[in-house]
Short mmCIF file of all heavy atoms in Angstrom, two decimals:
data_model
loop_
_atom_site.label_atom_id
_atom_site.label_comp_id
_atom_site.label_asym_id
_atom_site.label_seq_id
_atom_site.Cartn_x
_atom_site.Cartn_y
_atom_site.Cartn_z
N LYS A 98 -31.95 -6.15 13.28
CA LYS A 98 -32.52 -5.78 14.58
C LYS A 98 -32.25 -4.32 14.94
O LYS A 98 -32.83 -3.81 15.88
CB LYS A 98 -31.89 -6.64 15.69
CG LYS A 98 -32.21 -8.11 15.59
CD LYS A 98 -31.61 -8.81 16.81
CE LYS A 98 -31.33 -10.27 16.53
NZ LYS A 98 -30.25 -10.80 17.36
N TYR A 99 -31.34 -3.68 14.23
CA TYR A 99 -30.94 -2.33 14.65
C TYR A 99 -31.31 -1.29 13.63
O TYR A 99 -30.96 -1.40 12.46
CB TYR A 99 -29.43 -2.31 14.94
CG TYR A 99 -29.06 -3.34 15.95
CD1 TYR A 99 -28.48 -4.54 15.56
CD2 TYR A 99 -29.37 -3.15 17.29
CE1 TYR A 99 -28.19 -5.53 16.49
CE2 TYR A 99 -29.09 -4.12 18.23
CZ TYR A 99 -28.49 -5.31 17.82
OH TYR A 99 -28.22 -6.27 18.74
N ASN A 100 -31.97 -0.28 14.14
CA ASN A 100 -32.42 0.77 13.26
C ASN A 100 -31.63 2.04 13.56
O ASN A 100 -32.15 3.02 14.07
CB ASN A 100 -33.92 0.96 13.49
CG ASN A 100 -34.50 1.86 12.44
OD1 ASN A 100 -33.87 2.09 11.39
ND2 ASN A 100 -35.68 2.40 12.71
N ILE A 101 -30.33 1.99 13.31
CA ILE A 101 -29.46 3.14 13.61
C ILE A 101 -28.74 3.53 12.32
O ILE A 101 -28.67 2.72 11.39
CB ILE A 101 -28.41 2.80 14.70
CG1 ILE A 101 -27.54 1.59 14.28
CG2 ILE A 101 -29.08 2.55 16.04
CD1 ILE A 101 -26.35 1.33 15.20
N PRO A 102 -28.24 4.76 12.25
CA PRO A 102 -27.47 5.11 11.05
C PRO A 102 -26.21 4.25 10.95
O PRO A 102 -25.57 3.95 11.98
CB PRO A 102 -27.10 6.58 11.26
CG PRO A 102 -27.40 6.90 12.68
CD PRO A 102 -28.36 5.89 13.20
N VAL A 103 -25.91 3.83 9.73
CA VAL A 103 -24.70 3.03 9.51
C VAL A 103 -23.96 3.63 8.32
O VAL A 103 -24.54 3.85 7.26
CB VAL A 103 -25.06 1.56 9.22
CG1 VAL A 103 -23.85 0.80 8.71
CG2 VAL A 103 -25.60 0.89 10.48
N ILE A 104 -22.68 3.89 8.53
CA ILE A 104 -21.85 4.42 7.44
C ILE A 104 -21.11 3.25 6.81
O ILE A 104 -20.45 2.47 7.52
CB ILE A 104 -20.85 5.47 7.97
CG1 ILE A 104 -21.60 6.61 8.68
CG2 ILE A 104 -19.98 6.01 6.83
CD1 ILE A 104 -20.68 7.66 9.29
N GLY A 105 -21.24 3.10 5.50
CA GLY A 105 -20.54 2.03 4.78
C GLY A 105 -19.47 2.65 3.89
O GLY A 105 -19.75 3.58 3.15
N ILE A 106 -18.26 2.13 3.99
CA ILE A 106 -17.14 2.75 3.26
C ILE A 106 -16.50 1.73 2.33
O ILE A 106 -16.17 0.61 2.75
CB ILE A 106 -16.06 3.25 4.25
CG1 ILE A 106 -16.70 4.15 5.31
CG2 ILE A 106 -14.94 3.98 3.52
CD1 ILE A 106 -15.76 4.52 6.45
N THR A 107 -16.32 2.10 1.07
CA THR A 107 -15.49 1.27 0.20
C THR A 107 -14.65 2.18 -0.68
O THR A 107 -14.74 3.42 -0.59
CB THR A 107 -16.33 0.28 -0.63
OG1 THR A 107 -15.44 -0.69 -1.20
CG2 THR A 107 -17.10 0.96 -1.76
N GLY A 108 -13.82 1.58 -1.54
CA GLY A 108 -12.91 2.35 -2.39
C GLY A 108 -11.57 1.66 -2.42
O GLY A 108 -11.33 0.71 -1.67
N SER A 109 -10.68 2.14 -3.29
CA SER A 109 -9.39 1.45 -3.43
C SER A 109 -8.45 1.74 -2.27
O SER A 109 -7.73 0.87 -1.81
CB SER A 109 -8.71 1.87 -4.73
OG SER A 109 -9.51 1.54 -5.83
#
Side-chain angles (χ1 to χ4, degrees):
K98 295 184 205 153
Y99 304 101
N100 190 17
I101 57 171
V103 168
I104 303 177
I106 308 171
T107 193
S109 300

